[in-house]
Amino acid sequence: MKIAIIEDEPVHADLLEGYLQGWSRDRQTAVKTVRFSSAESFLFEWETEQDLDALFVDIQMKKMNGMEMAKQVRERDGKVSIIFTTGMADFMEEGYEVEAMRYLLKPINQEKVWSCMDKIRVRNENAQYILVHGSDGVRRLAAEQINYIEAWGHGSRIEIWGAAGQPGTPQTDFVSENISELEEMLKEDGFIRCHRSYLCGIRNIRTIGRTEITFDSGTHIPVSRRLYKEVNQAFIRYFRKE
């Protein structure tokens, strides 16, 4: 696991890093920590290397604060876990906008840091994969990275979001499996037909309108009038359960 600490006070960064390494030893799970003393320095690095599992972000920093930084991250990456560290609880309402996992009030408590890390590990371990046939042979795709599948000739076109290397940029993959075959593979993992030509991943949906679905990545696909109610109810059930 790779964890970023964005904190401008070395004493707090040292404390948090110690808790993370303690969790790593106790859970026998490898953890690499990378530290940044400002939001600006983090964003500069993140532009070229977006391979993080979680961000521990101090909200009150000089120049750009941690909340503004997190909003920029969420515009391009809907998967990375964000945990805020702060001396004040004033920003909690804003945190819902970026789907923060948790707020940790300073001085940071080891038990709460470890609890966050346990959740992140479970999320990673529960990731589901499917095997598909593309132009480069058989490959593995993580179900949680699939925004939607579109019927494309005798096969399918898949939009992938959160793939290694460019997790904030949607990518397209063409596979030989047809949409019905992929629907069968993914039926237990939060996918539903929203149109005769589209299968969508519920976990990545941001909003459902009467005529289209918008994903966290900003992509839009149609939803048919006949299937709108069923998709909307599935969306509500999924996130209530989550």
Side-chain angles (χ1 to χ4, degrees):
M1 298 173 67
K2 188 174 181 181
I3 312 295
I5 300 171
I6 302 96
E7 169 64 68
D8 62 356
E9 296 184 61
V11 64
H12 290 300
D14 289 343
L15 182 65
L16 180 52
E17 188 168 31
Y19 290 158
L20 292 172
Q21 293 304 327
W23 180 90
S24 174
R25 291 189 295 271
D26 186 81
R27 303 295 197 264
Q28 298 183 350
T29 302
V31 172
K32 178 182 179 181
T33 55
V34 287
R35 290 170 55 163
F36 301 89
S37 59
S38 69
E40 292 84 354
S41 62
F42 167 77
L43 289 173
F44 180 80
E45 184 78 15
W46 181 75
E47 284 293 328
T48 58
E49 191 169 351
Q50 302 172 20
D51 60 345
L52 296 162
D53 292 288
L55 314 179
F56 282 82
V57 186
D58 179 24
I59 293 180
Q60 296 165 290
M61 293 187 287
K62 300 177 181 69
K63 295 184 180 179
M64 181 185 292
N65 67 38
M67 185 63 68
E68 290 303 314
M69 186 210 81
K71 288 178 181 178
Q72 289 195 30
V73 170
R74 268 295 176 256
E75 287 176 0
R76 296 179 55 190
D77 189 340
K79 299 293 184 293
V80 66
S81 297
I82 298 176
I83 302 97
F84 286 118
T85 62
T86 179
M88 303 172 64
D90 296 354
F91 294 88
M92 291 189 71
E93 186 172 340
E94 279 190 83
Y96 290 114
E97 297 178 27
V98 296
E99 300 177 5
M101 174 181 282
R102 195 158 185 182
Y103 279 82
L104 303 181
L105 292 176
K106 297 178 179 178
I108 299 169
N109 179 283
Q110 174 183 289
E111 181 181 353
K112 292 179 179 178
V113 172
W114 283 27
S115 174
C116 290
M117 292 298 293
D118 286 339
K119 289 180 181 179
I120 295 165
R121 185 177 67 170
V122 168
R123 182 202 66 185
N124 290 349
E125 289 176 348
N126 287 342
Q128 300 295 315
Y129 295 90
I130 59 171
L131 294 178
V132 294
H133 295 77
S135 59
D136 55 351
V138 180
R139 61 174 300 193
R140 184 182 71 167
L141 293 180
E144 69 172 13
Q145 294 176 349
I146 299 173
N147 276 348
Y148 68 84
I149 296 164
E150 179 185 5
W152 196 268
H154 295 295
S156 302
R157 184 171 76 100
I158 302 177
E159 183 177 89
I160 304 162
W161 186 52
Q166 287 188 310
T169 304
Q171 301 171 33
T172 298
D173 202 358
F174 294 90
V175 301
S176 60
E177 285 79 10
N178 63 45
I179 193 169
S180 296
E181 291 172 326
L182 294 170
E183 184 176 17
E184 180 65 23
M185 292 182 194
L186 294 163
K187 65 180 180 181
E188 302 297 331
D189 199 47
F191 284 77
I192 189 170
R193 192 73 74 103
C194 60
H195 184 279
R196 65 180 182 181
S197 299
Y198 289 89
L199 179 68
C200 64
I202 297 173
R203 62 164 60 81
N204 294 337
I205 293 174
R206 180 184 297 168
T207 60
I208 302 175
R210 287 287 179 179
T211 60
E212 69 175 17
I213 289 170
T214 302
F215 294 96
D216 289 328
S217 62
T219 304
H220 306 275
I221 63 170
V223 57
S224 71
R225 183 166 53 185
R226 180 177 63 86
L227 295 173
Y228 167 78
K229 184 177 179 180
E230 182 180 350
V231 173
N232 196 49
Q233 290 176 342
F235 178 67
I236 293 169
R237 285 196 305 270
Y238 183 88
F239 284 100
R240 280 181 176 170
K241 181 181 178 181
E242 288 289 296

